[in-house]
Amino acid sequence: MVGSTKKTPFRKPNTRRESKVERQGAQSRYGLVSTVAQLIDLLAQFEGPADAAISRFFKDHPELGGRDRPMVAEAVYCWLRYRYRINHLAQAGEGPSVVRQAKLALLWSGAPEQIWSAGKQADNEWLSRVINISADDLGVEARTCLPEWFYSRLVEQFGNDRAESFSQAVLSAAPLDLRVNTVKTSVVDLLAALTNMGVQVNPIEGLPEGLRAVGKPIVGKTEIFQEGYFEVQDAGSQWVSRLVAPRRGDLVVDFCAGAGGKTLAIGAQMKNTGRIVALDTSEKRLVKFKPRAARSGLSNFYTMVINDETDPRLNKYFGKADRVVTDVPCSGMGTLRRNPDLKFRQNLQSLAELTAKQKSIIEHAAKLVKPDGRLVYITCSVLRDENENIVNAFLESHPEFRLRRWTEVLNPGERPVKANTTDDMLRLWPEDGESDGFFAAVLQRSKA
């Protein structure tokens, strides 16, 4: 365990000598090790999102069967989560480093022993040694599996305990959360439908439309999903969407709508009334949103591709929006359980560029808010640089806005159970409620 003196509970490789028949079987099994090594080598370039690269790899390698693909994907995501530690341990041993990394990834992801123990006797002896190395004896990056610049930032802003607990939390996979689409069904009816399908889910405490699946059932191809009875949406994303608290008939501007997960949640809160203007600089993202919206049964939205936050076409909305949502571009470091590759694609320079963009977006988005309207600032980052610092700087230069405590917006029965109710701004940590790391602040404009 990271930050613990306990040994990681991995199985010890079998170091006995293999027979000729076993060696021949090992040679065929080694093909899976080679496949994982090939994909690791590809991903190590970090030229784009890992999930897209993995999907392309599988399309390019149709020879991989339905049993192999999940095992390869699990191993690769394990490598992404533990990359710093795996790379450190793979410095020892014989042969190509990437092959040793692949074997460690297969081992740590729970692949059967006959797969990851395929190969030379020396490899298995090496595996026996490295799995007994305590994480406490390693350097910061290898111990926490986080970039040193990011971990140092966490310690500086939140202290050692929080930095350690966060580093451990993001080494595990995120749960599968669903949001019931109350435009089409009820929580009770969807629970019954999923149960009849053999999908076990449990209500998420404090989240009226939230359900958490047991395990990772495949729900995206089910008929009830295709008919729009639910969306796959992280609990944290659902909670920050609820902070918008729109009224029926409101004009809501979703400034950075993306693929529309929060837009759909807000539309459902409005009971398909009023109007939502979904903006984004990426036409591709908004194209992905339209079939989701059609599936959901919502019709109270309009999409528009904008050049950037200064697009003059936004002038017609100046001072007219009841709610403006700014789910701004951010480092995404709160989503490392789902997107572990992000920690390798962000650095101090990119952080500085993001905070500059965040300041610009909140500045221009505020112009759209009508008197007595609200601006909701959201990120999926855990760093103060992108969160409190941005909001506080905005409030200092905009006395017409005041901060509303998040507990004033969410009713007691609709709050994240472990969120700090004494804070004015909502902050969600993966280790507290098993949601992604999210931040949100509600800014109220004065009536005049």
Side-chain angles (χ1 to χ4, degrees), residues 24 29 64 150 180 216 258 425 427 435:
Q24 289 174 342
R29 294 191 298 269
L64 288 172
F150 176 65
V180 181
K216 289 294 179 69
M425 307 179 207
R427 175 180 287 282
S435 73

Side-chain angles (χ1 to χ4, degrees), residues 176-190:
L176 176 65
D177 293 340
L178 312 178
R179 179 182 60 80
V180 181
N181 179 14
T182 52
V183 173
K184 286 195 168 184
T185 188
S186 68
V187 175
V188 172
D189 288 345
L190 184 64

Side-chain angles (χ1 to χ4, degrees), residues 106 108 136 177 179 188 195 217 294 337 349 372 389 421 441 445:
L106 283 161
W108 290 9
D136 291 345
D177 293 340
R179 179 182 60 80
V188 172
T195 301
R337 294 184 306 170
Q349 179 180 344
D372 203 33
N389 294 358
T421 56
R445 186 167 187 170

Side-chain angles (χ1 to χ4, degrees), residues 28-259:
S28 63
R29 294 191 298 269
Y30 190 77
L32 195 59
V33 177
S34 178
T35 298
V36 173
Q38 186 180 351
L39 189 46
I40 285 175
D41 201 37
L42 175 67
L43 290 175
Q45 301 171 42
F46 297 110
E47 294 179 346
D51 57 350
I54 293 170
S55 295
R56 286 195 302 270
F57 183 87
F58 286 156
K59 287 180 181 179
D60 293 341
H61 294 79
E63 71 278 7
L64 288 172
R67 294 180 61 185
D68 291 340
R69 290 188 180 201
M71 201 176 300
V72 170
E74 271 305 309
V76 169
Y77 269 97
C78 180
W79 175 79
L80 287 168
R81 293 188 179 98
Y82 286 90
R83 178 176 176 248
Y84 288 116
R85 191 177 303 174
I86 287 175
N87 283 5
H88 175 78
L89 297 176
Q91 292 176 19
E94 300 177 357
S97 173
V98 69
V99 173
R100 295 196 297 277
Q101 293 176 48
K103 298 191 81 170
L104 273 172
L106 283 161
L107 164 62
W108 290 9
S109 63
E113 181 178 328
Q114 64 266 29
I115 291 173
W116 50 257
S117 64
K120 297 179 180 179
Q121 183 73 12
D123 290 345
N124 294 333
E125 293 173 352
W126 162 73
L127 281 170
S128 294
R129 291 196 307 272
V130 297
I131 64 173
N132 288 313
I133 296 175
S134 171
D136 291 345
D137 297 330
L138 304 176
V140 171
E141 289 189 337
R143 177 173 60 81
T144 65
C145 296
L146 293 174
E148 188 166 4
W149 73 266
F150 176 65
Y151 184 78
S152 298
R153 211 75 159 195
L154 288 176
V155 172
E156 175 190 336
Q157 296 179 2
F158 304 103
N160 286 300
D161 290 346
R162 177 59 80 178
E164 287 292 329
S165 63
F166 177 84
S167 70
Q168 290 191 72
V170 297
L171 285 175
S172 60
L176 176 65
D177 293 340
L178 312 178
R179 179 182 60 80
V180 181
N181 179 14
T182 52
V183 173
K184 286 195 168 184
T185 188
S186 68
V187 175
V188 172
D189 288 345
L190 184 64
L191 269 169
L194 290 170
T195 301
N196 288 337
M197 293 168 49
V199 177
Q200 185 180 350
V201 293
N202 297 308
I204 300 175
E205 188 176 359
L207 196 56
E209 288 92 37
L211 299 174
R212 177 159 293 159
V214 177
K216 289 294 179 69
I218 299 175
V219 296
K221 295 183 179 180
T222 62
E223 184 178 350
I224 57 174
F225 175 77
Q226 296 299 330
E227 292 180 354
Y229 291 109
F230 67 92
E231 278 282 333
V232 175
Q233 186 178 17
D234 176 76
S237 178
Q238 294 185 53
W239 265 306
V240 296
S241 299
R242 294 187 68 81
L243 279 176
V244 179
R247 301 159 299 189
R248 294 191 182 192
D250 273 355
L251 169 62
V252 178
V253 177
D254 192 346
F255 213 84
C256 312

Side-chain angles (χ1 to χ4, degrees), residues 130-424:
V130 297
I131 64 173
N132 288 313
I133 296 175
S134 171
D136 291 345
D137 297 330
L138 304 176
V140 171
E141 289 189 337
R143 177 173 60 81
T144 65
C145 296
L146 293 174
E148 188 166 4
W149 73 266
F150 176 65
Y151 184 78
S152 298
R153 211 75 159 195
L154 288 176
V155 172
E156 175 190 336
Q157 296 179 2
F158 304 103
N160 286 300
D161 290 346
R162 177 59 80 178
E164 287 292 329
S165 63
F166 177 84
S167 70
Q168 290 191 72
V170 297
L171 285 175
S172 60
L176 176 65
D177 293 340
L178 312 178
R179 179 182 60 80
V180 181
N181 179 14
T182 52
V183 173
K184 286 195 168 184
T185 188
S186 68
V187 175
V188 172
D189 288 345
L190 184 64
L191 269 169
L194 290 170
T195 301
N196 288 337
M197 293 168 49
V199 177
Q200 185 180 350
V201 293
N202 297 308
I204 300 175
E205 188 176 359
L207 196 56
E209 288 92 37
L211 299 174
R212 177 159 293 159
V214 177
K216 289 294 179 69
I218 299 175
V219 296
K221 295 183 179 180
T222 62
E223 184 178 350
I224 57 174
F225 175 77
Q226 296 299 330
E227 292 180 354
Y229 291 109
F230 67 92
E231 278 282 333
V232 175
Q233 186 178 17
D234 176 76
S237 178
Q238 294 185 53
W239 265 306
V240 296
S241 299
R242 294 187 68 81
L243 279 176
V244 179
R247 301 159 299 189
R248 294 191 182 192
D250 273 355
L251 169 62
V252 178
V253 177
D254 192 346
F255 213 84
C256 312
K262 296 180 184 66
T263 311
L264 295 177
I266 295 166
Q269 291 177 53
M270 297 169 70
K271 308 297 182 185
N272 212 7
T273 66
R275 185 160 62 121
I276 303 175
V277 182
L279 310 173
D280 205 273
T281 57
S282 170
E283 183 177 6
K284 185 177 180 180
R285 286 194 289 264
L286 288 179
V287 166
K288 290 181 179 179
F289 165 59
K290 289 185 177 180
R292 296 177 69 186
R295 197 168 57 229
S296 73
L298 292 173
S299 58
N300 61 337
F301 69 92
Y302 166 74
T303 63
M304 183 168 70
V305 180
I306 58 175
N307 298 323
D308 56 27
E309 64 273 17
T310 66
D311 195 313
R313 289 175 295 169
L314 296 175
N315 293 356
K316 64 181 177 180
Y317 297 112
F318 278 10
K320 296 180 180 178
D322 299 278
R323 303 286 189 269
V324 176
V325 186
T326 56
D327 184 6
V328 297
C330 69
S331 66
M333 298 299 248
T335 68
L336 289 180
R337 294 184 306 170
R338 299 179 195 279
N339 308 296
D341 55 305
L342 282 175
K343 59 187 173 185
F344 310 114
R345 295 196 285 123
Q346 301 289 5
N347 52 46
L348 287 172
Q349 179 180 344
S350 64
L351 180 64
E353 293 169 356
L354 285 166
T355 54
K357 173 60 72 172
Q358 291 155 4
K359 291 174 184 176
S360 180
I361 289 176
I362 193 173
E363 183 74 26
H364 288 87
K367 298 176 182 179
L368 279 58
V369 183
K370 68 187 295 185
D372 203 33
R374 293 180 192 168
L375 172 66
V376 183
Y377 178 85
I378 300 169
T379 78
C380 52
S381 171
V382 294
L383 293 175
R384 294 189 188 278
D385 308 66
E386 304 178 81
N387 297 331
E388 290 93 340
N389 294 358
I390 300 293
V391 172
N392 289 332
F394 172 81
L395 289 172
E396 286 180 9
S397 59
H398 290 272
E400 72 274 22
F401 281 89
R402 66 179 178 87
L403 182 65
R404 287 201 63 177
R405 178 172 286 186
W406 69 271
T407 52
E408 296 176 7
V409 181
L410 296 182
N411 295 322
E414 302 176 354
R415 298 174 185 170
V417 176
K418 294 186 179 181
N420 190 338
T421 56
T422 63
D423 286 346
D424 291 332

